[in-house]
Amino acid sequence: MDPYVILTCRTQEQKSSVASGSEPVWNENFIFNVSEGAEELKLKIMDSDIGNDDFVGEAEICLKSVLREGRIPPTAYNIVKNKEFCGEIKVGLTFNPE
């Protein structure tokens, strides 16, 4: 599997690099402009293939805690496909108000 992640916060979208192996590590940073009303960060995990990429699963992270606390250490979030658990992704978040 050659997974990558599409991160979406409201209308902003960013894409990770493609990793490899059964336990991929990205260790990447992404910056989003978070405005009032932004409630979640969506993670869509894809498998890079020649032709069409395959959908692996998705996770949603509620942003209320990071907006309140300023930082969430790397935490495991469930990856779900068709309402079935199919793995975890560990993500840390930091909120830097301007």
Side-chain angles (χ1 to χ4, degrees), residues 24-96:
V25 175
W26 288 277
N27 198 22
E28 295 181 48
N29 293 311
F30 300 92
I31 297 174
F32 290 92
N33 291 318
V34 179
S35 59
E36 191 172 326
E39 296 180 359
E40 63 188 12
L41 176 65
K42 294 182 180 183
L43 309 175
K44 186 176 179 182
I45 295 84
M46 302 293 292
D47 179 20
S48 181
D49 287 326
I50 296 173
N52 288 337
D53 293 351
D54 297 321
F55 174 67
V56 175
E58 59 191 347
E60 293 182 359
I61 302 172
C62 180
L63 295 177
K64 288 180 184 177
S65 293
V66 73
L67 295 176
R68 182 177 59 247
E69 305 294 327
R71 184 176 188 280
I72 296 177
T75 304
Y77 297 92
N78 290 343
I79 299 170
V80 178
K81 181 178 180 183
N82 299 324
K83 298 183 181 181
E84 290 188 25
F85 173 82
C86 55
E88 291 181 334
I89 187 166
K90 193 176 279 191
V91 178
L93 300 171
T94 302
F95 176 62
N96 295 317

